[in-house]
Amino acid sequence: MIGKTCHFTSESGTATVVGVTAQLALDDAGLRRLLHGLPPADQVGADARAARLGTRSIKTTAKAEALDLAVRMVDLTTLEGADTPGKVRALCAKGAHPEPNQPDCPSVAAICVYGDMVATAKAALAGTGIKVASVATAFPSGRAPLAVKLADTAAAVEAGADEIDMVIDRGAFLAGRYGAVAEEIAAVKQACRTGGHDAHLKVILETGELATYDNVKRASWLAMLSGADFIKTSTGKVSPAATLPVTLLMLESVRDFRAQTGRQVGVKPAGGIRTAKDAIKYLVTVNETAGPDWLSPDWFRFGASSLLNDLLLQRRKLATGVYSGPDYVTVD
Amino acid sequence: MSETKKADAKKTEPKKAEAKKTPKTGKASKAAPQEAVVTSPAPAPTPAPAAPRSSVRKTYKLYIGGAFPRSESGRSYVVTAPSGEFLANAAQASRKDARDAVRAARSAQAGWAKATAYNRGQILYRIAEMMEERRDQFAQQIASVEGVNVAAGYAQVDAAVDRWVWYAGWSDKLMQVLGSANPVAGPYWNISSPEPTGVVALLAPARPTLLGLTSVLAPAIVGGNAVVVVAPDAAAVPAVTLGEVMATSDLPGGVVNILTGAPAELAPWLASHLDVNALDLAGIEAGSTLARDLEVSAAENLKRVVRPAAGYDWSADPGLARVKPFLETKTVWHPVGI
């Protein structure tokens, strides 16, 4: 991937990238020229736009459809030091049949666990079609030598992970060593192909640590240029985690990236999305920003654990007409 | 840019000059120590007749989770005196406000139940103290809302305050009166104790406004439940004031949530809500179809229901009739001698 050249054409929003129509090497200097040449992120505008999109009213049949879509997009996650095989198996069972007595309720997209739990999850999900996602590369801090990160990734892939959620080296990114970050992402992408597998690579930007919206935009482009299949907001271990304006910026980035390179990249907000109402706001934002092409579990995911319960409660409210309560869903 | 700064500086100059002058006058008064009383330095010119002050009207809002939000629906209704005179615009709660209130009550309930009985009693007594402080305000409101004279208003406030004190006293005595150590045939201690049932929805009676509200609220929260209370129609006015009392009485936010509006609209949502554990139908007409329907909805998750009684006397000694239905008995077996 490194040393590969990118060619940008001249239409659409990110017009300044046009300046890089020349063949561009992904080294520090080239990346800096490219990333700092992106049009600046409009923070006030993004916040205002996100707030306005959050006021859209989605009701009745549209709401029912949105809830089911959101369930299908959930990466049901458990990333605790106290995870046990039993807990992972219980989570897999829940992901496969969120409402055991309602066959029309879809299953989630994936179960997201630590690398050592991949085999357990894979066995529990056999035959369900649900993916196993594993965090890797010294999650959540990303502070480990590259060799360790690659071994971490390769082990998860060997154990059967279909998707790898890696964290970028925020320290290197903030220090301006874009080449190092790009190289690492490309190397991990290579590790995803260990042993003839082809695991999807989600790159966690940890936007809560990137300080500015410009950095979020640059990190998004950097990850996409380096071969990410998905860009993900956060680990869920840092506050603030996913926010609507940041996700909006990332959606704009994947839209512009596809317009310029023809390659579609997915987006995954993670952390802090707890209510069905929030999830629907995100879906509205996806539709209005990136477009309906992204309204599918292949291109948009929610990294969440408690969100699923609220989605189920809202589904029941629509079905039965009475408010349900937390006593009637699993405690996980 | 610089021009505007200059202009600003010019504007502020006269003010500075004034500020400098005042300390001088202060010194002047110090220079004359024989004057024991410091008087104003110069005789004030006769004030110009004040412009008529515009009135500051109160917005009557809901009380949910310790905050005072407007209704989510944005609706309000006019509260009038029996004479037809306009009294206030009150927030008309919607089913979503009811849902939010239940959520607030649920999240506050565990903490309130965990507080010691002594502490809960203190807080209930504190509510009485705060109401006593607003005695005049409550008496005026009751008089205007119910169309009675102010003396009757005062009588009702006093009865309500006394009732809070009475229930405050019960807080650390419920265990002794309602619990028991049971004789069993075996080497065990067998102990029964009352536990709060959880979230209780209360439909307060329309009359008497404040005493009725107090008489359904206090017994429900004294045992450790969190409540959502619907104050019907005109009762909104003293109910909102009672909410302000709650907010300043160390009562954790969310333990009491007050909705104002139409009970016929809100009650079915509360009765069918699966996260509500008990229902007091005091404000619903006894024997009505609504009362029956609410009881049917409540059966879905086996809510404890207190039926409305026709001609109930709210000023009579209530005993523990409204405390017991919202407490469940927990019995523990414990081996003896270990």
Side-chain angles (χ1 to χ4, degrees), chain A residues 74-109:
Chain A
V74 168
D75 275 10
L76 198 56
T77 304
T78 181
L79 295 170
E80 303 295 334
D83 285 346
T84 59
K87 190 181 171 196
V88 170
R89 276 194 290 270
L91 201 70
C92 291
K94 182 174 185 185
H97 304 287
E99 288 273 40
N101 57 356
Q102 286 178 25
D104 66 322
C105 181
S107 34
V108 301

PDB file of all heavy atoms in Angstrom, chain A residues 74-109:
ATOM      1  N   VAL A  74     -26.387  -3.150  14.276  1.00  0.00           N
ATOM      2  CA  VAL A  74     -25.688  -3.128  15.559  1.00  0.00           C
ATOM      3  C   VAL A  74     -24.502  -4.093  15.559  1.00  0.00           C
ATOM      4  O   VAL A  74     -24.633  -5.244  15.155  1.00  0.00           O
ATOM      5  CB  VAL A  74     -26.656  -3.476  16.712  1.00  0.00           C
ATOM      6  CG1 VAL A  74     -25.893  -3.753  17.995  1.00  0.00           C
ATOM      7  CG2 VAL A  74     -27.651  -2.353  16.920  1.00  0.00           C
ATOM      8  N   ASP A  75     -23.342  -3.591  15.971  1.00  0.00           N
ATOM      9  CA  ASP A  75     -22.216  -4.452  16.340  1.00  0.00           C
ATOM     10  C   ASP A  75     -22.323  -4.612  17.852  1.00  0.00           C
ATOM     11  O   ASP A  75     -21.898  -3.740  18.606  1.00  0.00           O
ATOM     12  CB  ASP A  75     -20.876  -3.782  16.002  1.00  0.00           C
ATOM     13  CG  ASP A  75     -20.471  -4.010  14.559  1.00  0.00           C
ATOM     14  OD1 ASP A  75     -21.296  -4.519  13.795  1.00  0.00           O
ATOM     15  OD2 ASP A  75     -19.334  -3.670  14.208  1.00  0.00           O
ATOM     16  N   LEU A  76     -22.946  -5.700  18.278  1.00  0.00           N
ATOM     17  CA  LEU A  76     -23.181  -5.891  19.711  1.00  0.00           C
ATOM     18  C   LEU A  76     -21.834  -6.154  20.377  1.00  0.00           C
ATOM     19  O   LEU A  76     -21.123  -7.081  20.007  1.00  0.00           O
ATOM     20  CB  LEU A  76     -24.141  -7.065  19.899  1.00  0.00           C
ATOM     21  CG  LEU A  76     -24.843  -7.187  21.243  1.00  0.00           C
ATOM     22  CD1 LEU A  76     -25.619  -5.937  21.589  1.00  0.00           C
ATOM     23  CD2 LEU A  76     -25.768  -8.388  21.240  1.00  0.00           C
ATOM     24  N   THR A  77     -21.522  -5.314  21.354  1.00  0.00           N
ATOM     25  CA  THR A  77     -20.142  -5.237  21.817  1.00  0.00           C
ATOM     26  C   THR A  77     -20.005  -5.572  23.284  1.00  0.00           C
ATOM     27  O   THR A  77     -20.819  -5.127  24.097  1.00  0.00           O
ATOM     28  CB  THR A  77     -19.629  -3.797  21.588  1.00  0.00           C
ATOM     29  OG1 THR A  77     -19.787  -3.477  20.210  1.00  0.00           O
ATOM     30  CG2 THR A  77     -18.181  -3.661  21.983  1.00  0.00           C
ATOM     31  N   THR A  78     -19.001  -6.366  23.629  1.00  0.00           N
ATOM     32  CA  THR A  78     -18.589  -6.455  25.023  1.00  0.00           C
ATOM     33  C   THR A  78     -17.077  -6.398  25.063  1.00  0.00           C
ATOM     34  O   THR A  78     -16.385  -7.240  24.512  1.00  0.00           O
ATOM     35  CB  THR A  78     -19.160  -7.706  25.721  1.00  0.00           C
ATOM     36  OG1 THR A  78     -18.702  -7.679  27.078  1.00  0.00           O
ATOM     37  CG2 THR A  78     -18.749  -9.012  25.068  1.00  0.00           C
ATOM     38  N   LEU A  79     -16.553  -5.346  25.660  1.00  0.00           N
ATOM     39  CA  LEU A  79     -15.107  -5.134  25.719  1.00  0.00           C
ATOM     40  C   LEU A  79     -14.728  -4.797  27.150  1.00  0.00           C
ATOM     41  O   LEU A  79     -14.381  -3.670  27.474  1.00  0.00           O
ATOM     42  CB  LEU A  79     -14.695  -4.005  24.778  1.00  0.00           C
ATOM     43  CG  LEU A  79     -14.912  -4.252  23.282  1.00  0.00           C
ATOM     44  CD1 LEU A  79     -14.694  -2.987  22.490  1.00  0.00           C
ATOM     45  CD2 LEU A  79     -13.999  -5.352  22.774  1.00  0.00           C
ATOM     46  N   GLU A  80     -14.867  -5.801  28.020  1.00  0.00           N
ATOM     47  CA  GLU A  80     -14.568  -5.585  29.430  1.00  0.00           C
ATOM     48  C   GLU A  80     -13.463  -6.536  29.840  1.00  0.00           C
ATOM     49  O   GLU A  80     -13.324  -7.633  29.288  1.00  0.00           O
ATOM     50  CB  GLU A  80     -15.814  -5.876  30.288  1.00  0.00           C
ATOM     51  CG  GLU A  80     -17.041  -5.066  29.920  1.00  0.00           C
ATOM     52  CD  GLU A  80     -16.864  -3.577  30.155  1.00  0.00           C
ATOM     53  OE1 GLU A  80     -16.052  -3.209  31.016  1.00  0.00           O
ATOM     54  OE2 GLU A  80     -17.523  -2.789  29.462  1.00  0.00           O
ATOM     55  N   GLY A  81     -12.709  -6.125  30.850  1.00  0.00           N
ATOM     56  CA  GLY A  81     -11.707  -7.028  31.402  1.00  0.00           C
ATOM     57  C   GLY A  81     -12.359  -8.258  32.009  1.00  0.00           C
ATOM     58  O   GLY A  81     -11.755  -9.318  32.107  1.00  0.00           O
ATOM     59  N   ALA A  82     -13.610  -8.135  32.413  1.00  0.00           N
ATOM     60  CA  ALA A  82     -14.303  -9.218  33.112  1.00  0.00           C
ATOM     61  C   ALA A  82     -15.078 -10.134  32.163  1.00  0.00           C
ATOM     62  O   ALA A  82     -15.889 -10.940  32.623  1.00  0.00           O
ATOM     63  CB  ALA A  82     -15.250  -8.622  34.149  1.00  0.00           C
ATOM     64  N   ASP A  83     -14.875 -10.007  30.842  1.00  0.00           N
ATOM     65  CA  ASP A  83     -15.595 -10.881  29.914  1.00  0.00           C
ATOM     66  C   ASP A  83     -15.233 -12.346  30.142  1.00  0.00           C
ATOM     67  O   ASP A  83     -14.064 -12.691  30.269  1.00  0.00           O
ATOM     68  CB  ASP A  83     -15.219 -10.522  28.465  1.00  0.00           C
ATOM     69  CG  ASP A  83     -15.888  -9.242  28.028  1.00  0.00           C
ATOM     70  OD1 ASP A  83     -16.818  -8.798  28.730  1.00  0.00           O
ATOM     71  OD2 ASP A  83     -15.485  -8.688  26.998  1.00  0.00           O
ATOM     72  N   THR A  84     -16.245 -13.180  30.190  1.00  0.00           N
ATOM     73  CA  THR A  84     -16.029 -14.621  30.323  1.00  0.00           C
ATOM     74  C   THR A  84     -16.584 -15.303  29.083  1.00  0.00           C
ATOM     75  O   THR A  84     -17.418 -14.722  28.386  1.00  0.00           O
ATOM     76  CB  THR A  84     -16.770 -15.167  31.549  1.00  0.00           C
ATOM     77  OG1 THR A  84     -18.165 -14.886  31.379  1.00  0.00           O
ATOM     78  CG2 THR A  84     -16.296 -14.532  32.835  1.00  0.00           C
ATOM     79  N   PRO A  85     -16.156 -16.547  28.810  1.00  0.00           N
ATOM     80  CA  PRO A  85     -16.745 -17.255  27.661  1.00  0.00           C
ATOM     81  C   PRO A  85     -18.267 -17.331  27.781  1.00  0.00           C
ATOM     82  O   PRO A  85     -18.980 -17.208  26.780  1.00  0.00           O
ATOM     83  CB  PRO A  85     -16.101 -18.640  27.756  1.00  0.00           C
ATOM     84  CG  PRO A  85     -14.821 -18.423  28.478  1.00  0.00           C
ATOM     85  CD  PRO A  85     -15.078 -17.306  29.438  1.00  0.00           C
ATOM     86  N   GLY A  86     -18.765 -17.529  28.996  1.00  0.00           N
ATOM     87  CA  GLY A  86     -20.218 -17.607  29.203  1.00  0.00           C
ATOM     88  C   GLY A  86     -20.913 -16.320  28.799  1.00  0.00           C
ATOM     89  O   GLY A  86     -21.951 -16.327  28.138  1.00  0.00           O
ATOM     90  N   LYS A  87     -20.306 -15.192  29.177  1.00  0.00           N
ATOM     91  CA  LYS A  87     -20.921 -13.917  28.844  1.00  0.00           C
ATOM     92  C   LYS A  87     -20.919 -13.694  27.331  1.00  0.00           C
ATOM     93  O   LYS A  87     -21.892 -13.200  26.757  1.00  0.00           O
ATOM     94  CB  LYS A  87     -20.159 -12.787  29.554  1.00  0.00           C
ATOM     95  CG  LYS A  87     -20.882 -11.467  29.450  1.00  0.00           C
ATOM     96  CD  LYS A  87     -20.138 -10.331  30.113  1.00  0.00           C
ATOM     97  CE  LYS A  87     -20.822  -9.027  29.771  1.00  0.00           C
ATOM     98  NZ  LYS A  87     -19.986  -7.864  30.047  1.00  0.00           N
ATOM     99  N   VAL A  88     -19.810 -14.073  26.697  1.00  0.00           N
ATOM    100  CA  VAL A  88     -19.719 -13.913  25.240  1.00  0.00           C
ATOM    101  C   VAL A  88     -20.755 -14.800  24.548  1.00  0.00           C
ATOM    102  O   VAL A  88     -21.444 -14.365  23.618  1.00  0.00           O
ATOM    103  CB  VAL A  88     -18.295 -14.221  24.750  1.00  0.00           C
ATOM    104  CG1 VAL A  88     -18.245 -14.289  23.224  1.00  0.00           C
ATOM    105  CG2 VAL A  88     -17.329 -13.161  25.255  1.00  0.00           C
ATOM    106  N   ARG A  89     -20.915 -16.033  25.036  1.00  0.00           N
ATOM    107  CA  ARG A  89     -21.911 -16.926  24.425  1.00  0.00           C
ATOM    108  C   ARG A  89     -23.317 -16.366  24.605  1.00  0.00           C
ATOM    109  O   ARG A  89     -24.141 -16.424  23.700  1.00  0.00           O
ATOM    110  CB  ARG A  89     -21.802 -18.330  25.032  1.00  0.00           C
ATOM    111  CG  ARG A  89     -20.715 -19.179  24.358  1.00  0.00           C
ATOM    112  CD  ARG A  89     -20.868 -20.638  24.730  1.00  0.00           C
ATOM    113  NE  ARG A  89     -20.526 -20.877  26.122  1.00  0.00           N
ATOM    114  CZ  ARG A  89     -19.291 -21.188  26.552  1.00  0.00           C
ATOM    115  NH1 ARG A  89     -18.304 -21.331  25.680  1.00  0.00           N
ATOM    116  NH2 ARG A  89     -19.057 -21.381  27.825  1.00  0.00           N
ATOM    117  N   ALA A  90     -23.591 -15.805  25.791  1.00  0.00           N
ATOM    118  CA  ALA A  90     -24.921 -15.224  26.040  1.00  0.00           C
ATOM    119  C   ALA A  90     -25.179 -14.061  25.086  1.00  0.00           C
ATOM    120  O   ALA A  90     -26.275 -13.904  24.537  1.00  0.00           O
ATOM    121  CB  ALA A  90     -25.019 -14.756  27.492  1.00  0.00           C
ATOM    122  N   LEU A  91     -24.132 -13.258  24.880  1.00  0.00           N
ATOM    123  CA  LEU A  91     -24.267 -12.108  23.989  1.00  0.00           C
ATOM    124  C   LEU A  91     -24.509 -12.579  22.547  1.00  0.00           C
ATOM    125  O   LEU A  91     -25.310 -11.979  21.814  1.00  0.00           O
ATOM    126  CB  LEU A  91     -22.998 -11.255  24.065  1.00  0.00           C
ATOM    127  CG  LEU A  91     -23.140  -9.811  23.614  1.00  0.00           C
ATOM    128  CD1 LEU A  91     -23.974  -9.040  24.613  1.00  0.00           C
ATOM    129  CD2 LEU A  91     -21.784  -9.162  23.456  1.00  0.00           C
ATOM    130  N   CYS A  92     -23.812 -13.666  22.161  1.00  0.00           N
ATOM    131  CA  CYS A  92     -24.000 -14.207  20.809  1.00  0.00           C
ATOM    132  C   CYS A  92     -25.438 -14.698  20.632  1.00  0.00           C
ATOM    133  O   CYS A  92     -26.065 -14.471  19.588  1.00  0.00           O
ATOM    134  CB  CYS A  92     -23.033 -15.356  20.564  1.00  0.00           C
ATOM    135  SG  CYS A  92     -21.324 -14.826  20.440  1.00  0.00           S
ATOM    136  N   ALA A  93     -25.962 -15.362  21.662  1.00  0.00           N
ATOM    137  CA  ALA A  93     -27.332 -15.869  21.584  1.00  0.00           C
ATOM    138  C   ALA A  93     -28.306 -14.707  21.450  1.00  0.00           C
ATOM    139  O   ALA A  93     -29.266 -14.762  20.668  1.00  0.00           O
ATOM    140  CB  ALA A  93     -27.656 -16.687  22.835  1.00  0.00           C
ATOM    141  N   LYS A  94     -28.038 -13.650  22.188  1.00  0.00           N
ATOM    142  CA  LYS A  94     -28.911 -12.485  22.105  1.00  0.00           C
ATOM    143  C   LYS A  94     -28.814 -11.824  20.733  1.00  0.00           C
ATOM    144  O   LYS A  94     -29.821 -11.409  20.152  1.00  0.00           O
ATOM    145  CB  LYS A  94     -28.557 -11.479  23.193  1.00  0.00           C
ATOM    146  CG  LYS A  94     -29.477 -10.289  23.164  1.00  0.00           C
ATOM    147  CD  LYS A  94     -29.256  -9.345  24.287  1.00  0.00           C
ATOM    148  CE  LYS A  94     -30.323  -8.275  24.206  1.00  0.00           C
ATOM    149  NZ  LYS A  94     -30.123  -7.239  25.210  1.00  0.00           N
ATOM    150  N   GLY A  95     -27.593 -11.736  20.210  1.00  0.00           N
ATOM    151  CA  GLY A  95     -27.408 -11.115  18.897  1.00  0.00           C
ATOM    152  C   GLY A  95     -28.113 -11.885  17.796  1.00  0.00           C
ATOM    153  O   GLY A  95     -28.664 -11.304  16.861  1.00  0.00           O
ATOM    154  N   ALA A  96     -28.116 -13.213  17.918  1.00  0.00           N
ATOM    155  CA  ALA A  96     -28.747 -14.036  16.889  1.00  0.00           C
ATOM    156  C   ALA A  96     -30.266 -13.939  16.957  1.00  0.00           C
ATOM    157  O   ALA A  96     -30.947 -13.897  15.926  1.00  0.00           O
ATOM    158  CB  ALA A  96     -28.305 -15.484  17.054  1.00  0.00           C
ATOM    159  N   HIS A  97     -30.812 -13.915  18.173  1.00  0.00           N
ATOM    160  CA  HIS A  97     -32.272 -13.826  18.341  1.00  0.00           C
ATOM    161  C   HIS A  97     -32.588 -12.772  19.395  1.00  0.00           C
ATOM    162  O   HIS A  97     -32.884 -13.116  20.543  1.00  0.00           O
ATOM    163  CB  HIS A  97     -32.842 -15.182  18.763  1.00  0.00           C
ATOM    164  CG  HIS A  97     -32.504 -16.283  17.819  1.00  0.00           C
ATOM    165  ND1 HIS A  97     -33.088 -16.400  16.580  1.00  0.00           N
ATOM    166  CD2 HIS A  97     -31.620 -17.300  17.922  1.00  0.00           C
ATOM    167  CE1 HIS A  97     -32.574 -17.448  15.964  1.00  0.00           C
ATOM    168  NE2 HIS A  97     -31.686 -18.020  16.753  1.00  0.00           N
ATOM    169  N   PRO A  98     -32.564 -11.507  18.998  1.00  0.00           N
ATOM    170  CA  PRO A  98     -32.796 -10.450  19.999  1.00  0.00           C
ATOM    171  C   PRO A  98     -34.167 -10.579  20.662  1.00  0.00           C
ATOM    172  O   PRO A  98     -34.318 -10.296  21.840  1.00  0.00           O
ATOM    173  CB  PRO A  98     -32.691  -9.162  19.186  1.00  0.00           C
ATOM    174  CG  PRO A  98     -31.895  -9.526  17.989  1.00  0.00           C
ATOM    175  CD  PRO A  98     -32.248 -10.942  17.683  1.00  0.00           C
ATOM    176  N   GLU A  99     -35.180 -10.987  19.916  1.00  0.00           N
ATOM    177  CA  GLU A  99     -36.523 -11.207  20.471  1.00  0.00           C
ATOM    178  C   GLU A  99     -36.886 -12.659  20.189  1.00  0.00           C
ATOM    179  O   GLU A  99     -37.463 -12.961  19.140  1.00  0.00           O
ATOM    180  CB  GLU A  99     -37.538 -10.285  19.790  1.00  0.00           C
ATOM    181  CG  GLU A  99     -37.436  -8.829  20.175  1.00  0.00           C
ATOM    182  CD  GLU A  99     -38.240  -8.496  21.420  1.00  0.00           C
ATOM    183  OE1 GLU A  99     -38.254  -9.303  22.367  1.00  0.00           O
ATOM    184  OE2 GLU A  99     -38.864  -7.420  21.436  1.00  0.00           O
ATOM    185  N   PRO A 100     -36.576 -13.571  21.087  1.00  0.00           N
ATOM    186  CA  PRO A 100     -36.743 -14.991  20.776  1.00  0.00           C
ATOM    187  C   PRO A 100     -38.182 -15.354  20.398  1.00  0.00           C
ATOM    188  O   PRO A 100     -38.395 -16.289  19.631  1.00  0.00           O
ATOM    189  CB  PRO A 100     -36.336 -15.682  22.072  1.00  0.00           C
ATOM    190  CG  PRO A 100     -35.548 -14.681  22.818  1.00  0.00           C
ATOM    191  CD  PRO A 100     -36.046 -13.350  22.425  1.00  0.00           C
ATOM    192  N   ASN A 101     -39.154 -14.612  20.933  1.00  0.00           N
ATOM    193  CA  ASN A 101     -40.540 -14.982  20.620  1.00  0.00           C
ATOM    194  C   ASN A 101     -41.117 -14.204  19.440  1.00  0.00           C
ATOM    195  O   ASN A 101     -42.308 -14.261  19.181  1.00  0.00           O
ATOM    196  CB  ASN A 101     -41.422 -14.812  21.864  1.00  0.00           C
ATOM    197  CG  ASN A 101     -41.348 -13.396  22.400  1.00  0.00           C
ATOM    198  OD1 ASN A 101     -40.573 -12.587  21.880  1.00  0.00           O
ATOM    199  ND2 ASN A 101     -42.138 -13.082  23.408  1.00  0.00           N
ATOM    200  N   GLN A 102     -40.258 -13.409  18.770  1.00  0.00           N
ATOM    201  CA  GLN A 102     -40.746 -12.683  17.597  1.00  0.00           C
ATOM    202  C   GLN A 102     -39.830 -12.959  16.412  1.00  0.00           C
ATOM    203  O   GLN A 102     -38.801 -12.308  16.247  1.00  0.00           O
ATOM    204  CB  GLN A 102     -40.795 -11.179  17.874  1.00  0.00           C
ATOM    205  CG  GLN A 102     -41.953 -10.803  18.783  1.00  0.00           C
ATOM    206  CD  GLN A 102     -41.963  -9.321  19.082  1.00  0.00           C
ATOM    207  OE1 GLN A 102     -41.453  -8.522  18.318  1.00  0.00           O
ATOM    208  NE2 GLN A 102     -42.535  -8.967  20.207  1.00  0.00           N
ATOM    209  N   PRO A 103     -40.198 -13.937  15.592  1.00  0.00           N
ATOM    210  CA  PRO A 103     -39.311 -14.340  14.494  1.00  0.00           C
ATOM    211  C   PRO A 103     -39.056 -13.223  13.486  1.00  0.00           C
ATOM    212  O   PRO A 103     -38.074 -13.274  12.740  1.00  0.00           O
ATOM    213  CB  PRO A 103     -40.050 -15.503  13.837  1.00  0.00           C
ATOM    214  CG  PRO A 103     -41.373 -15.620  14.493  1.00  0.00           C
ATOM    215  CD  PRO A 103     -41.443 -14.700  15.654  1.00  0.00           C
ATOM    216  N   ASP A 104     -39.919 -12.178  13.471  1.00  0.00           N
ATOM    217  CA  ASP A 104     -39.699 -11.110  12.492  1.00  0.00           C
ATOM    218  C   ASP A 104     -38.611 -10.144  12.914  1.00  0.00           C
ATOM    219  O   ASP A 104     -38.225  -9.264  12.150  1.00  0.00           O
ATOM    220  CB  ASP A 104     -41.006 -10.355  12.234  1.00  0.00           C
ATOM    221  CG  ASP A 104     -41.465  -9.599  13.461  1.00  0.00           C
ATOM    222  OD1 ASP A 104     -41.307 -10.145  14.578  1.00  0.00           O
ATOM    223  OD2 ASP A 104     -41.970  -8.475  13.326  1.00  0.00           O
ATOM    224  N   CYS A 105     -38.112 -10.303  14.139  1.00  0.00           N
ATOM    225  CA  CYS A 105     -37.062  -9.386  14.599  1.00  0.00           C
ATOM    226  C   CYS A 105     -35.722  -9.819  14.012  1.00  0.00           C
ATOM    227  O   CYS A 105     -35.303 -10.957  14.188  1.00  0.00           O
ATOM    228  CB  CYS A 105     -36.993  -9.381  16.119  1.00  0.00           C
ATOM    229  SG  CYS A 105     -35.736  -8.260  16.744  1.00  0.00           S
ATOM    230  N   PRO A 106     -35.036  -8.938  13.270  1.00  0.00           N
ATOM    231  CA  PRO A 106     -33.777  -9.332  12.626  1.00  0.00           C
ATOM    232  C   PRO A 106     -32.671  -9.558  13.647  1.00  0.00           C
ATOM    233  O   PRO A 106     -32.786  -9.134  14.799  1.00  0.00           O
ATOM    234  CB  PRO A 106     -33.456  -8.138  11.733  1.00  0.00           C
ATOM    235  CG  PRO A 106     -34.150  -6.988  12.353  1.00  0.00           C
ATOM    236  CD  PRO A 106     -35.370  -7.521  13.031  1.00  0.00           C
ATOM    237  N   SER A 107     -31.598 -10.200  13.223  1.00  0.00           N
ATOM    238  CA  SER A 107     -30.445 -10.343  14.116  1.00  0.00           C
ATOM    239  C   SER A 107     -29.464  -9.207  13.847  1.00  0.00           C
ATOM    240  O   SER A 107     -29.595  -8.475  12.865  1.00  0.00           O
ATOM    241  CB  SER A 107     -29.791 -11.711  13.950  1.00  0.00           C
ATOM    242  OG  SER A 107     -29.885 -12.143  12.634  1.00  0.00           O
ATOM    243  N   VAL A 108     -28.491  -9.069  14.741  1.00  0.00           N
ATOM    244  CA  VAL A 108     -27.548  -7.950  14.628  1.00  0.00           C
ATOM    245  C   VAL A 108     -26.516  -8.258  13.544  1.00  0.00           C
ATOM    246  O   VAL A 108     -26.471  -9.373  13.023  1.00  0.00           O
ATOM    247  CB  VAL A 108     -26.853  -7.684  15.977  1.00  0.00           C
ATOM    248  CG1 VAL A 108     -27.856  -7.362  17.054  1.00  0.00           C
ATOM    249  CG2 VAL A 108     -25.978  -8.855  16.390  1.00  0.00           C
ATOM    250  N   ALA A 109     -25.671  -7.261  13.237  1.00  0.00           N
ATOM    251  CA  ALA A 109     -24.685  -7.435  12.164  1.00  0.00           C
ATOM    252  C   ALA A 109     -23.498  -8.259  12.628  1.00  0.00           C
ATOM    253  O   ALA A 109     -23.025  -9.133  11.911  1.00  0.00           O
ATOM    254  CB  ALA A 109     -24.214  -6.068  11.675  1.00  0.00           C
TER     255      ALA A 109
END
